Amino acid sequence: MKKFIATLALVSLAASVSGPTEAADSYQRQSVSRTVMTGVRSKLGQHWHIKNNCRLADVPVTRIVEAPKHGRVEIARERVFPDASGQYARCRNVEVPGLVLYYTARSGYTGKDKFVLRAPHGDGLIRDTTFNVLVLN
């Protein structure tokens, strides 16, 4: 039976995606904006891979391509509830292992920061997500 995998970038449904997505075969880029408070560990999103039956397919490998200059990024393995849509919407109340993205700005820093993550999405698709972070006091 063909394996169906649902994925979501380290972006929750509340993410505001800005700019067009560029695609070249199996590579895409997207940009996401977030606002956080200085020195506070903030959850920016989550990522998972589930099968059509809502069970875990695997825990996706996610890499930091460009680190932030004014804070730190943490990719933690945690149990998550997929905020999936479409045919996978029924999986929203099934807890599965996944990755959760946290960002913490250096204490006292205010201003803009940026970092880039690379993660797989579906069969052979690789997506780089640029996180534009506004840090407030």
Side-chain angles (χ1 to χ4, degrees):
M1 178 199 254
K2 186 175 179 184
K3 183 196 245 187
F4 291 97
I5 299 176
T7 61
L8 179 70
L10 294 168
V11 180
S12 67
L13 285 178
S16 60
V17 178
S18 60
T21 300
E22 301 171 14
D25 293 324
S26 62
Y27 176 74
Q28 293 181 345
R29 292 183 186 176
Q30 74 176 14
S31 181
V32 175
S33 297
R34 291 285 193 267
T35 301
V36 301
M37 292 181 60
T38 187
V40 176
R41 183 180 187 236
S42 302
K43 180 180 175 180
L44 300 187
Q46 60 187 24
H47 193 169
W48 64 86
H49 283 178
I50 55 177
K51 298 177 188 176
N52 196 29
N53 64 2
C54 300
R55 295 191 184 251
L56 177 70
D58 65 6
V59 176
V61 175
T62 300
R63 293 192 178 110
I64 300 170
V65 176
E66 179 183 326
K69 292 184 168 103
H70 305 288
R72 72 176 189 278
V73 172
E74 176 188 356
I75 302 169
R77 290 183 86 132
E78 296 180 8
R79 295 192 62 81
V80 300
F81 289 97
D83 49 353
S85 59
Q87 70 176 354
Y88 296 99
R90 69 186 186 291
C91 302
R92 288 173 168 256
N93 24 343
V94 178
E95 193 176 41
V96 297
L99 300 176
V100 178
L101 173 68
Y102 294 99
Y103 170 82
T104 307
R106 186 178 67 240
S107 186
Y109 175 78
T110 59
K112 295 179 180 179
D113 204 355
K114 176 180 97 169
F115 61 94
V116 180
L117 297 181
R118 179 169 292 152
H121 289 267
D123 294 328
L125 175 65
I126 302 295
R127 181 178 295 151
D128 282 1
T129 303
T130 300
F131 285 82
N132 297 298
V133 182
L134 176 60
V135 182
L136 303 176
N137 198 3

